[in-house]
Amino acid sequence: MLADDQDIIMPSNFAWGAATSAYQIEGGWDADGRGPSIWDTFCHKKGKVFQDQSGDVACDSYHLWEEDLKCIQQLGLTHYRLSLSWSRLLPDGTTRRINQKGVSYYNRVINDLLANGVSPMVTLHHFDLPQALQAQGGWQSPQIADLFDSYAQFCFQTFGDRVKLWLTINEPYIYAKFGHEDGCHAPGLDQPGVSLYLAGHNMLRAHARAWHSYDALYRPTQGGQVSLALFSDWAEAHDPSSALDVAAAERYMAFVLGWFAWPIFVNGDYPPEMKARVEAASRAQGLPSSRLPTFSKEEPRILGTADFFALNYYTSRRVWPGSGPAKIGFEGDLEVERDIDPAWPVCGNSWLAVFPEGLRKLLKYIKDKFGNPTVYITENGFSQVGPVEIEDARRCRFFRDTLLQVSKAIHEEGADVRGYFAWSLLDNFEWADGYRVRFGLYHVDFAHPRLKRTPYRSGREYAQLIAQNKTSARS
């Protein structure tokens, strides 16, 4: 059992879930009228992804949904997080052309989940912008906010009678930085200090429009909730006795989490230190104004446009102030160095240091900084590389330790955590890492003609923990 030395007991209404995203599992990249996304374009260029792999087939969940459903049933999940492929539903990104086969696919998925007592949490947009919209400027275009709102309203109208938990956009920080500054994710832009802030700004504008549309037009009859999934590391001062290191840790949290959380949960605007630092760096470059956009009073209100706090957490960092010549771009604006505590074991990816206590500390930070919101942990996981280990003892330990810290955050810190979604249900296409990295509760044999799903030991033990908590809730 996962809880072999301390019981992990969650509240009776706790959401036990696993998460996926459309491009990472569906395949069928050009099937039944689906339009291309930016990740199709990115992957089909040489040298962008590990071994030029792609999501063309992935787990083939578009054709093998019944196999995924069996995995969900075996785990005993109460909730399942999936994303919709915007270009499968609206091939050119607009409601001028609706792909009914895409609508039918998602109707089947949602209906099957509900028939099995599983509540869907649906992400509208998980990195895979329709290529047709990227050709019009993508997330750098001010028109994208209205286009996203139109797409969101289509989804609310089509699926909202059954979906009660919505996420508009997944990880705008990663989407903006990796896709619009570092160039390692689609759309592959490398424009330091400009594109990422514009993209992030338009994602916030788009999210707010969609939330207001739901609130005014759909919430009265559908009764659901809407948020967006925010990524964050936990940052600690490299030297806790150093005031400069402590300040650097706070600055890191402001730039990574606060960039999107402050406008929604605090005051409708970016963190003051972020605004000041970007403006100062912009002036030093000779620019007439800050590279960080400003919110217009004519725009729909940003503050309060989340019905819960959706958190994606994977790892932590030790930080201290940067030194040397300032870089132009996000890193120069942030001006923080970081590393990994040698005591934190690294799993799979070199960046993924295991520090479950970091999640507990981050949950307390969110409670204190953002007014003790309702929290769903919408992604958290442990990666595996190299030979497949079905008996994945280290991942079992990770889930046990992590869920114990979540339990402590609830019972000892008073954090209002309502659910946990393991990343991921299946081994899948892990963006620039392709299939080299595996996060699944189920192993997928990508060489097998039917892409056979096999439960890892961690999946079996996660199912046992869910069953244990369901039994406790009934007693």
Side-chain angles (χ1 to χ4, degrees):
M1 281 291 293
L2 283 161
D4 52 5
D5 54 2
Q6 280 186 274
D7 284 341
I8 299 169
I9 303 299
M10 300 300 186
S12 59
N13 61 347
F14 196 76
W16 292 97
T20 59
S21 87
Y23 187 77
Q24 292 178 273
I25 68 166
E26 283 183 4
W29 78 278
D30 60 352
D32 294 339
R34 178 186 179 276
S37 77
I38 57 173
W39 269 95
D40 297 304
T41 303
F42 190 75
C43 290
H44 293 164
K45 294 177 181 178
K46 295 293 184 183
K48 297 296 184 181
V49 174
F50 177 74
Q51 294 185 350
D52 291 329
Q53 294 169 345
S54 75
D56 287 3
V57 177
C59 307
D60 204 20
S61 294
Y62 184 67
H63 299 106
L64 299 175
W65 159 244
E66 289 79 7
E67 299 304 310
D68 294 356
L69 182 60
K70 291 176 185 175
C71 299
I72 292 167
Q73 292 168 322
Q74 290 165 8
L75 290 170
L77 301 181
T78 66
H79 290 67
Y80 176 61
R81 180 185 170 206
L82 66 146
S83 79
L84 307 178
S85 168
W86 188 342
S87 63
R88 193 180 297 285
L89 291 166
L90 309 178
D92 69 357
T94 75
T95 53
R96 288 192 298 265
R97 180 181 162 208
I98 297 168
N99 180 16
Q100 289 299 331
K101 290 187 176 180
V103 173
S104 296
Y105 171 68
Y106 292 118
N107 272 330
R108 181 158 57 96
V109 170
I110 291 167
N111 290 341
D112 284 351
L113 289 170
L114 293 171
N116 284 274
V118 179
S119 299
M121 175 183 278
V122 175
T123 308
L124 293 172
H125 186 49
H126 196 124
F127 296 171
D128 50 349
L129 187 72
Q131 182 60 39
L133 298 186
Q134 183 60 38
Q136 300 172 33
W139 284 106
Q140 295 183 85
S141 167
Q143 284 71 45
I144 193 69
D146 287 330
L147 290 166
F148 181 81
D149 182 38
S150 178
Y151 163 61
Q153 289 197 47
F154 168 79
C155 294
F156 297 150
Q157 182 175 350
T158 306
F159 308 114
D161 58 326
R162 289 151 292 157
V163 175
K164 304 307 173 187
L165 290 171
W166 293 97
L167 298 170
T168 55
I169 298 172
N170 182 72
E171 296 183 343
Y173 167 81
I174 296 293
Y175 200 1
K177 187 172 188 297
F178 286 17
H180 297 79
E181 170 136 336
D182 299 345
C184 60
H185 278 193
L189 303 180
D190 181 7
Q191 300 169 349
V194 178
S195 294
L196 88 162
Y197 291 135
L198 186 55
H201 191 74
N202 285 329
M203 288 179 206
L204 280 166
R205 293 176 57 241
H207 161 78
R209 274 172 165 72
W211 186 92
H212 282 291
S213 291
Y214 188 85
D215 194 52
L217 302 175
Y218 302 97
R219 194 192 306 274
T221 56
Q222 295 180 0
Q225 295 184 306
V226 180
S227 187
L228 77 172
L230 299 182
F231 165 90
S232 188
D233 301 326
W234 171 246
E236 298 196 334
H238 193 279
D239 176 2
S241 68
S242 165
L244 291 177
D245 288 12
V246 170
E250 187 61 38
R251 184 161 71 248
Y252 185 93
M253 295 303 298
F255 269 72
V256 175
L257 180 58
W259 179 4
F260 297 95
W262 267 71
I264 294 171
F265 291 95
V266 178
N267 65 354
D269 202 357
Y270 297 115
E273 185 175 17
M274 184 180 189
K275 290 176 64 177
R277 292 185 68 86
V278 177
E279 180 166 8
S282 300
R283 299 289 185 188
Q285 290 176 249
L287 299 176
S289 60
S290 176
R291 289 179 276 103
L292 186 66
T294 57
F295 293 106
S296 167
K297 292 182 179 179
E298 285 70 46
E299 291 278 340
R301 170 178 51 84
I302 303 286
L303 181 63
T305 58
D307 302 315
F308 55 93
F309 198 113
L311 172 67
N312 293 0
Y313 167 82
Y314 286 91
T315 190
S316 295
R317 292 291 183 265
R318 301 186 308 181
V319 303
W320 63 97
S323 59
K327 302 174 184 176
I328 295 176
F330 181 86
E331 293 298 333
D333 298 334
L334 172 59
E335 205 173 2
V336 159
E337 302 290 339
R338 58 268 211 188
D339 69 4
I340 294 168
D341 191 316
W344 303 340
V346 173
C347 73
N349 304 70
S350 60
W351 59 267
L352 212 173
V354 176
F355 187 49
E357 292 88 346
L359 177 54
R360 179 183 176 183
K361 293 177 180 181
L362 180 55
L363 290 169
K364 185 178 187 306
Y365 177 89
I366 290 168
K367 171 180 177 284
D368 295 342
K369 183 72 71 174
F370 303 117
N372 195 20
T374 294
V375 177
Y376 287 90
I377 299 163
T378 42
E379 285 184 30
N380 177 247
F382 182 104
S383 65
Q384 184 186 109
V385 296
V388 175
E389 299 176 46
I390 295 297
E391 296 298 313
D392 54 345
R394 290 183 66 213
R395 186 184 280 147
C396 291
R397 179 81 186 181
F398 163 82
F399 279 124
R400 184 191 66 77
D401 290 347
T402 298
L403 288 162
L404 184 60
Q405 292 299 322
V406 173
S407 178
K408 289 181 176 180
I410 295 170
H411 298 297
E412 298 178 20
E413 309 287 2
D416 186 13
V417 184
R418 302 287 182 91
Y420 176 90
F421 292 75
W423 184 269
S424 174
L425 178 69
L426 306 170
D427 290 341
N428 60 52
F429 176 78
E430 284 293 340
W431 308 118
D433 285 320
Y435 301 98
R436 182 183 69 86
V437 175
R438 301 178 297 275
F439 277 92
L441 296 167
Y442 280 75
H443 172 60
V444 177
D445 184 351
F446 293 104
H448 190 279
R450 289 284 292 174
L451 298 162
K452 183 180 179 183
R453 281 88 159 129
T454 302
Y456 286 103
R457 176 181 162 189
S458 57
R460 300 192 303 269
E461 294 197 0
Y462 188 52
Q464 291 172 5
L465 178 60
I466 294 171
Q468 170 191 309
N469 271 263
K470 286 181 178 178
T471 300
S472 298
R474 286 193 295 267
S475 61

